[in-house]
Amino acid sequence: MKIVLALGGNALLERGQPLTATNLRNNIKKAAASIAAIAREHDVVIVHGNGPQVGLLMEQNYEYQKINSAVTAYPLDVLGAETCGMIGYMLQQELFNSDNKLSITTILTQTCVDIDDPAFNDPTKFVGPIYSEEEIDKINIANPSAIFKKDGDYYRRVVSSPIPQDIVESKQISNLLENGNTVIACGGGGIPVFKANNGNLVGVECVIDKDLTAELLAEQIKADLFIILTDGAVYLNYGKENQQAIKNITPEELDKYHFPAGSMGPKIDAVCKFVSKGLGDAAIGALDELSAVIAGHSGTRITLDEMVEYY
């Protein structure tokens, strides 16, 4: 079975953890063990997030610029490429360490966006570490262009997140799968680019939602199953006394409910879009229960079968 896995950047760095290479490595090691177990039996593409990591690079850029003003901040497409190399390297190595019989390839992937997408006027994508209200007041004094929104009890920086239109290297990804590779691709939603009038690709200042890019990739490589790995199942009335974990649901039923734009919303949009096209099933579930998610025993399964089931 051909499976596209969307692995969140926050799954690679637990909420509140310091953004250190050691913490990133330890979390990736856990992720790699779960993924390697299913990569032995399936053709797998891993699309990882990069929100915390690209946010860290943005902060480091800003701090260095205060020391040397001649070194201007690197644009987000370049920072995205840096995180693809960093996270891809660790994932590739730890997958090999989990099973040295796997053939693993990381490919830098460019994702085309529409330069006129209205999302550029309404930043929603969380990046970087969490801050208290007092901390962002201090940051805004020093860097007034930074935009922050509430994420739970804290605040995080937000940047523009346009809809992905095309994955430049999707054919190369298919070729790698056909030749027995486990592939790490479209990291951070892909390096954002647009195609100029002369046909050249040009980097764009934004971060693309990795779940939406993973869905587009699942379409383009004709995946059988699209899985978004997060904290667990999808809940109705989450955090309330009457919350319910969904086991099975159709896109039409799921579309009746509202989910936050900065977190679960894009995940729901992505899985519903894939399933609605009749390409296969989708699922949202926990990384440490990946095998059970594939078997339909854990997480939330989105399917065209007209049934709604709760745990």
Side-chain angles (χ1 to χ4, degrees), residues 262-274:
S263 55
M264 186 58 76
K267 296 175 173 57
I268 299 298
D269 291 343
V271 294
C272 287
K273 183 180 179 183
F274 179 76

Side-chain angles (χ1 to χ4, degrees), residues 292-311:
V293 171
I294 292 172
H297 302 317
S298 180
T300 298
R301 193 81 162 207
I302 300 88
T303 174
L304 290 178
D305 294 337
E306 294 188 5
M307 58 179 290
V308 179
E309 186 179 1
Y310 301 94
Y311 285 99

Side-chain angles (χ1 to χ4, degrees), residues 129-188:
I130 59 173
Y131 297 101
S132 66
E133 190 168 359
E134 293 76 17
E135 287 173 321
I136 65 168
D137 287 341
K138 294 178 182 178
I139 293 171
N140 278 328
I141 292 172
N143 185 12
S145 64
I147 301 172
F148 295 86
K149 290 186 179 179
K150 202 127 193 224
D151 183 16
D153 295 330
Y154 295 90
Y155 290 84
R156 291 178 72 192
R157 189 168 178 179
V158 289
V159 297
S160 300
S161 185
I163 300 296
Q165 302 292 323
D166 187 38
I167 296 165
V168 178
E169 290 83 10
S170 60
K171 288 183 180 179
Q172 291 94 314
I173 294 168
S174 287
N175 289 337
L176 288 166
L177 286 174
E178 289 169 7
N179 285 279
N181 289 272
T182 296
V183 183
I184 302 161
C186 299

Side-chain angles (χ1 to χ4, degrees), residues 97-119:
N97 290 342
S98 293
D99 186 347
N100 60 18
K101 293 181 180 178
L102 292 175
S103 296
I104 309 132
T105 301
T106 301
I107 177 170
L108 283 178
T109 318
Q110 300 170 95
T111 302
C112 289
V113 300
D114 180 356
I115 199 66
D116 296 318
D117 191 311

